[in-house]
Amino acid sequence: MKEAVLVLIKPDALQKSLTGNILSRISSTDLEIIGAKVVKVSRELAEAHYAHLKDKPFFEDVIDYICGNQHGKHKVIALVYYGENAVSQLRTLAGATNPEEADPTTIRGAYGRITTKGVYENVIHVSDSVESAEREIKMWFSPDELIVDLYPSRTMVEGTRVIRIWE
Ligand code: IDP
Ligand code: MG
């Protein structure tokens, strides 16, 4: 079964000009990019994306981090990768959440760091399961922004435009 996964290139990676390195590491897989864009992350999107961390002491820092407030780069690059075992392939390439514990051959191990304030700057986000990938992809992308029909959607008329939204 082919799976879809959300990958975010986080603001620290953009500040360090790591996009090319990260994309070229991921291109060692046979996964296909089926959606890609640059996003200025709103607080609402950040809070929805990290809803599972709401009660953690580092929640505010993580929201600040993904919104780019710590890097003067108020953007992330959002990508949807698609293919067999996409979740496990990309989670393995990304490495452990804690960049100091991540294997140095992984993306987080190679490029991540923990700041003196204790924020895990770990360069990329990768969905951790097929279920969270669906939740996240629906949050970050509209059906028209993907070249594969991943999930059920319906057509809507908005003014003079015909658009599709997730069901
Ligand atoms: P993941 O990104 O490997 O899936 P999650 O537990 O979903 O890990 O956490 C989301 C993000 O929150 C991490 O990528 C990291 O930036 C941050 N984070 C997670 N745990 C900690 C922690 O213990 N201290 C500081 N930041 C953390
Ligand atoms: Mg996660």
Side-chain angles (χ1 to χ4, degrees):
M1 260 297 268
K2 289 191 172 183
E3 301 167 351
V5 176
L6 178 75
V7 171
L8 302 176
I9 302 183
K10 295 182 177 182
D12 54 323
L14 295 177
Q15 190 185 46
K16 294 174 180 168
S17 299
L18 291 172
T19 304
N21 304 51
I22 292 168
L23 294 182
S24 101
R25 276 173 182 252
I26 299 178
S27 67
S28 70
T29 67
D30 54 2
L31 301 173
E32 180 194 358
I33 296 174
I34 61 164
K37 60 181 175 180
V38 183
V39 183
K40 184 172 179 188
V41 183
S42 66
R43 186 166 176 106
E44 291 70 31
L45 176 59
E47 285 185 0
H49 179 78
Y50 284 131
H52 63 293
L53 301 176
K54 191 124 192 71
D55 300 327
K56 302 282 187 196
F58 53 83
F59 182 68
E60 277 303 319
D61 286 336
V62 168
I63 298 299
D64 245 18
Y65 168 30
I66 200 72
C67 288
N69 300 339
Q70 291 159 3
H71 297 91
K73 290 274 182 199
H74 294 275
K75 59 184 175 185
V76 305
I77 295 176
L79 303 130
V80 178
Y81 279 90
Y82 185 62
E84 301 286 337
N85 303 315
V87 172
S88 66
Q89 286 201 67
L90 289 171
R91 290 290 298 192
T92 302
L93 269 183
T97 304
N98 178 336
E100 303 300 337
E101 285 174 3
D103 187 290
T105 63
T106 62
I107 294 170
R108 287 168 165 180
Y111 303 125
R113 64 165 191 162
I114 302 181
T115 66
T116 47
K117 225 184 137 195
V119 178
Y120 290 8
E121 288 188 354
N122 55 10
V123 187
I124 58 168
H125 167 82
V126 176
S127 311
D128 65 6
S129 66
V130 169
E131 293 71 31
S132 38
E134 175 172 349
R135 189 180 69 84
E136 294 170 359
I137 290 167
K138 287 178 171 174
M139 198 180 289
W140 287 82
F141 285 84
S142 73
D144 290 324
E145 292 173 325
L146 302 175
I147 61 157
V148 174
D149 288 326
L150 291 178
Y151 318 112
S153 62
R154 64 186 166 86
T155 301
M156 249 186 64
V157 178
E158 196 185 64
T160 56
R161 292 194 319 142
V162 178
I163 59 165
R164 284 190 304 145
I165 58 166
W166 301 118
E167 265 182 8

